[in-house]
Amino acid sequence: MTETTHSQPMPPQPPDGAFEPYKPRSPEVRAVLDALGRLRQDLFTDAFAYRPLPPLSTERPFARRLPGPLRKYAPWTMHLAVAAAGVLALLVSVADRRWQGPAIALLSGLLVLAPVLLTLARPVAAFWLSLLVTWIGAVLSSAWDEWPWQPGNFLSHLTVLTVVAVRTRPRTTAWMWAITAFYGALSVQLLGGGHYDNDVGSMLVVSAIVLLTVTVRQIRREAEQTVTAQQSQTAHERSRRTLLEERTTIARELHDVVAHHMSVVAIQAEAAPYRVENPPPELEKAFVTIRENAVAALTELRRVLGVVRAEDYEVPEAPQPTLADLDALLDNVREAGLTVDKALTGAVRELPQGVELSAYRIVQEALSNTLRHAPGASARVEIGYVIGGLGLRVVNGPPPQPAALVEPSPGAGHGITGMRERVSMLNGEMTAAPTAEGGYEVTVFLPVATTREGDA
């Protein structure tokens, strides 16, 4: 038996230095590469993309001040202004080139007009076209012309820079100005030696002032928009937080009310069999079932609704207020300086405790708003027991002359929100609005099922 050994060929070795550790680029190199990447993104990527100038809003202040026939043209104000600047550049160029003949003068005028009009649709492409038109105008110029921008080209390129700066980001504006400066310096050094004068300095100074003004205005407008958006978001979050706080307060109060009733049900169910002599087993079993379900419901209620209590929340020792406590509330606000009257209509009857608690809190908040926002005014509380529910009306008159009053307290402005939450919870209706006399009125209807409806 012959044993054969097969040798595996060695894999090719990598060249020296192929697996050397990666060496990060220096900060200077990274800064240059990032700058070139931003330059490519701003002025080369999608340079010829179609980006039409949108019409202005008719809600702008200047549009509202225009007469009726002219107001419909207000959205196109920017388009007309750009076109007018282009026509002005055309006329300047034609007047400057009239010595070269009508054809050259008209051609030069159309050349300076083209990039200005192009800013309305393709702003970045208009900048490159303006540089090309500037070079063509320099080729057609004489030794006595200004270099490299003749008057028409000067006005055209400045208009293009301004419009493109308005339509793009400030970084793009900086790149355009830098390229303009590079183009002007290169033109003067390479081809401007035989010309009488150059206007590179004038172009750079004037364009820098104009572009800086536009950039500052854009940054300020973006900052104002950011602040407005943040304020709107803050107001929305504040409103949501206030709504949650109101719901939490209502849930705490109803937790106490429902827990009290469930405790009474459990106690009555446990004591009921002892009030009947020799109760049948079925009755005892029924009461045991009632008590067990009441205790289970009470346990679940405390487990679910107990989470709304804050850590520092203390269960009130006194029961939750009802409409029977309304006179004490009115006495308190009278001591605070509010003149308030009470009117009661209908047959007073006992209502569900949740309805009475909500009615009490609504009247309390309405009177607090009167004290806060209309100090010195008088108020009236009307309570109506009607078929199918309870009606409330709290109205205050206008405050006296401001000179005789202390300044109104601004408050948080969320009292109406809490009232609406309570009314919505009970499927009621509510209106809150100023009165014709200058006061304020809150009207509420809270539906209450009758005994017959409840039995059904």
Side-chain angles (χ1 to χ4, degrees):
M1 182 176 182
T2 305
E3 182 178 354
T4 306
T5 302
H6 299 279
S7 59
Q8 297 293 336
M10 295 295 293
Q13 296 296 323
D16 294 338
F19 295 101
E20 291 182 358
Y22 171 74
K23 296 181 180 180
R25 297 187 179 96
S26 63
E28 294 78 8
V29 175
R30 288 201 303 269
V32 172
L33 293 178
D34 291 344
L36 292 177
R38 289 191 292 266
L39 173 62
R40 182 177 66 250
Q41 178 183 358
D42 294 339
L43 294 181
F44 292 93
T45 303
D46 295 334
F48 294 90
Y50 181 64
R51 300 169 186 170
L53 179 64
L56 298 178
S57 172
T58 55
E59 299 300 323
R60 288 177 174 265
F62 82 93
R64 292 196 296 265
R65 289 194 292 265
L66 292 175
L70 296 179
R71 192 173 302 170
K72 61 180 179 180
Y73 299 107
W76 311 106
T77 304
M78 288 295 297
H79 300 73
L80 295 176
V82 173
V87 172
L88 179 61
L90 181 146
L91 297 177
V92 171
S93 181
V94 169
D96 183 60
R97 297 286 184 175
R98 64 183 182 275
W99 59 272
Q100 292 182 307
I104 299 298
L106 181 60
L107 176 61
S108 63
L110 295 177
L111 285 177
V112 299
L113 175 64
V116 176
L117 297 181
L118 189 60
T119 58
L120 300 176
R122 292 177 169 83
V124 178
F127 168 72
W128 294 114
L129 179 60
S130 180
L131 288 180
L132 178 61
V133 168
T134 299
W135 180 81
I136 295 175
V139 171
L140 298 176
S141 65
S142 66
W144 295 99
D145 288 328
E146 294 181 347
W147 179 269
W149 284 281
Q150 286 71 51
N153 297 96
F154 188 98
L155 181 59
S156 174
H157 191 69
L158 186 61
T159 303
V160 170
L161 288 177
T162 304
V163 176
V164 178
V166 171
R167 301 200 55 197
T168 57
R169 65 182 71 179
R171 189 178 70 190
T172 306
T173 302
W175 282 121
M176 291 190 306
W177 186 87
I179 293 176
T180 300
F182 176 77
Y183 171 80
L186 186 64
S187 299
V188 171
Q189 293 296 327
L190 297 182
L191 303 174
H195 288 77
Y196 176 74
D197 192 11
N198 73 81
D199 54 358
V200 175
S202 301
M203 169 60 75
L204 297 183
V205 171
V206 175
S207 62
I209 294 174
V210 173
L211 296 182
L212 183 61
T213 303
V214 172
T215 302
V216 170
R217 179 179 178 274
Q218 276 190 307
I219 293 176
R220 179 181 177 182
R221 183 176 59 183
E222 292 176 359
E224 291 176 350
Q225 292 175 351
T226 301
V227 170
T228 302
Q230 291 177 350
Q231 290 177 345
S232 300
Q233 184 178 2
T234 302
H236 179 68
E237 293 297 331
R238 186 186 300 113
S239 177
R240 286 179 56 86
R241 184 172 63 252
T242 302
L243 186 62
L244 292 176
E245 290 175 355
E246 293 292 341
R247 291 179 177 178
T248 300
T249 302
I250 296 171
R252 290 172 181 171
E253 295 175 349
L254 291 182
H255 171 270
D256 300 332
V257 171
V258 177
H260 169 73
H261 285 295
M262 295 302 297
S263 299
V264 171
V265 170
I267 294 173
Q268 293 291 339
E270 184 176 8
Y274 300 99
R275 298 181 179 180
V276 180
E277 184 178 357
N278 298 323
E282 294 82 3
L283 183 61
E284 291 184 353
K285 184 178 180 180
F287 279 120
V288 169
T289 303
I290 292 174
R291 181 181 181 279
E292 291 177 350
N293 283 283
V295 172
L298 184 59
T299 302
E300 290 297 319
L301 179 67
R302 287 172 176 169
R303 181 178 64 83
V304 175
L305 295 183
V307 299
V308 303
R309 297 191 185 277
E311 294 181 358
D312 57 347
Y313 177 77
E314 297 180 359
V315 179
E317 297 180 359
Q320 296 290 352
T322 63
L323 289 177
D325 304 310
L326 194 58
D327 290 333
L329 172 64
L330 299 182
D331 292 338
N332 289 335
V333 297
R334 290 188 183 106
E335 293 178 359
L338 178 65
T339 303
V340 56
D341 298 327
K342 175 186 172 184
L344 186 65
T345 58
V348 179
R349 65 182 186 275
E350 184 177 357
L351 301 175
Q353 192 169 357
V355 174
E356 296 226 1
L357 172 62
S358 296
Y360 179 91
R361 295 301 189 196
I362 290 172
V363 174
Q364 183 183 38
E365 185 61 41
L367 295 177
S368 299
N369 286 344
T370 302
L371 284 171
R372 185 181 302 115
H373 300 290
S378 60
R380 179 179 176 84
V381 177
E382 299 176 1
I383 303 175
Y385 289 86
V386 297
I387 298 177
L390 177 71
L392 299 174
R393 180 175 180 265
V394 182
V395 58
N396 64 269
Q401 295 298 325
L405 298 176
V406 296
E407 290 295 329
S409 174
H414 301 299
I416 301 298
T417 303
M419 297 184 199
R420 293 192 186 280
E421 280 297 306
R422 294 181 183 276
V423 173
S424 175
M425 176 189 64
L426 298 174
N427 297 322
E429 299 178 358
M430 171 181 167
T431 58
T435 62
E437 295 78 13
Y440 204 82
E441 179 181 358
V442 176
T443 306
V444 175
F445 176 75
L446 302 177
V448 178
T450 61
T451 305
R452 182 174 300 175
E453 290 173 351
D455 297 340

